[in-house]
Amino acid sequence: GIQVEQSPPDLILQEGANSTLRCNFSDSVNNLQWFHQNPWGQLINLFYIPSGTKQNGRLSATTVATERYSLLYISSSQTTDSGVYFCAVGTGGLKTIFGAGTRLFVKA
Amino acid sequence: NAGVTQTPKFRVLKTGQSMTLLCAQDMNHEYMYWYRQDPGMGLRLIHYSVGEGTTAKGEVPDGYNVSRLKKQNFLLGLESAAPSQTSVYFCASSSNSAGYTFGSGTRLTVV
């Protein structure tokens, strides 16, 4: 089956810093999503982005489907950005596969 | 705007007991899913549904059953709970053009 790899596995930032999270996948996909799981366990959908670029406030995402990767950009990080960021891909049907996540801690 | 509601939020079961987790969505989404999340791991798909009256197996379906008698509800059943089923369970729903909306999760402990 398709493999989803996220990097880095862990990231510590000083508040205000920028960061880039990466998601590589091993096969063609027809959908890709980014999620944030906050320290209380809640999962929030950040982007549904099978291709192209989207922006939402300080967050933006780019998926280059032909090269099998997606990037999540966080600018001017805040402590509330802390948590785990998951990339999830679908190859057809509804079986979406999640990566292991990037754990982010933003220091005040 | 409730979105996706899961009940209960917490539960402790003894080995061999049964229980049902309820997921309800008010967004008229066609697709619904049950995932489990174990410490330090991502989410793994248990079962999913493409519409009322239909269900399908995901990555880790053994030991679970599901039903979708109404479009807005997706039930996950454990007939005989085992300690290996200790986990956090998440329900999600989606439509053709939008990503997942997750519920807040159910933390289940089997002793």
Side-chain angles (χ1 to χ4, degrees):
Chain A
I2 190 169
Q3 303 297 314
V4 182
E5 294 183 357
Q6 292 187 242
S7 60
D10 297 281
L11 184 60
I12 300 175
L13 296 176
Q14 190 67 45
E15 194 171 29
N18 304 326
S19 65
T20 300
L21 282 58
R22 188 177 181 100
C23 173
N24 291 333
F25 40 95
S26 60
D27 204 347
S28 299
V29 300
N30 61 6
N31 72 77
L32 188 144
Q33 302 178 70
W34 284 97
F35 297 90
H36 175 222
Q37 187 168 37
N38 65 25
W40 296 270
Q42 187 179 12
L43 281 156
I44 303 298
N45 192 308
L46 299 175
F47 295 103
Y48 175 79
I49 183 168
S51 64
T53 297
K54 289 186 177 180
Q55 181 159 6
N56 185 0
R58 296 181 296 103
L59 303 181
S60 63
T62 295
T63 297
V64 184
T66 54
E67 297 187 20
R68 300 182 183 173
Y69 73 89
S70 183
L71 303 173
L72 178 68
Y73 304 94
I74 304 175
S75 64
S76 303
S77 58
Q78 300 176 358
T79 56
T80 52
D81 295 332
S82 295
V84 183
Y85 289 81
F86 290 106
C87 166
V89 303
T91 59
L94 295 182
K95 289 189 178 182
T96 297
I97 305 300
F98 282 73
T102 291
R103 187 174 303 273
L104 173 64
F105 180 68
V106 181
K107 300 187 296 183
Chain B
N1 54 345
V4 177
T5 302
Q6 290 183 233
T7 54
K9 295 190 184 308
F10 303 93
R11 186 73 186 268
V12 178
L13 285 180
K14 294 183 179 180
T15 297
Q17 287 185 319
S18 63
M19 79 163 293
T20 300
L21 281 65
L22 172 63
C23 177
Q25 54 99 359
D26 62 2
M27 297 170 287
N28 201 33
H29 284 170
E30 283 296 324
Y31 314 127
M32 297 187 75
Y33 319 81
W34 277 106
Y35 282 86
R36 60 178 288 172
Q37 184 177 33
D38 299 297
M41 297 180 67
L43 285 87
R44 293 182 292 169
L45 182 63
I46 305 171
H47 285 282
Y48 63 98
S49 168
V50 300
E52 181 178 323
T54 70
T55 63
K57 294 181 180 180
E59 302 171 74
V60 289
D62 295 341
Y64 305 95
N65 57 76
V66 289
S67 65
R68 192 157 177 213
L69 299 180
K70 293 183 178 181
K71 185 177 183 179
Q72 63 267 33
N73 295 338
F74 195 29
L75 278 63
L76 177 71
L78 286 73
E79 290 187 347
S80 179
S84 61
Q85 293 177 304
T86 293
S87 189
V88 180
Y89 292 85
F90 287 97
C91 175
S93 69
S94 71
S95 62
N96 273 327
S97 58
Y100 285 18
T101 299
F102 276 97
S104 58
T106 296
R107 187 174 297 275
L108 175 65
T109 302
V110 183
V111 297

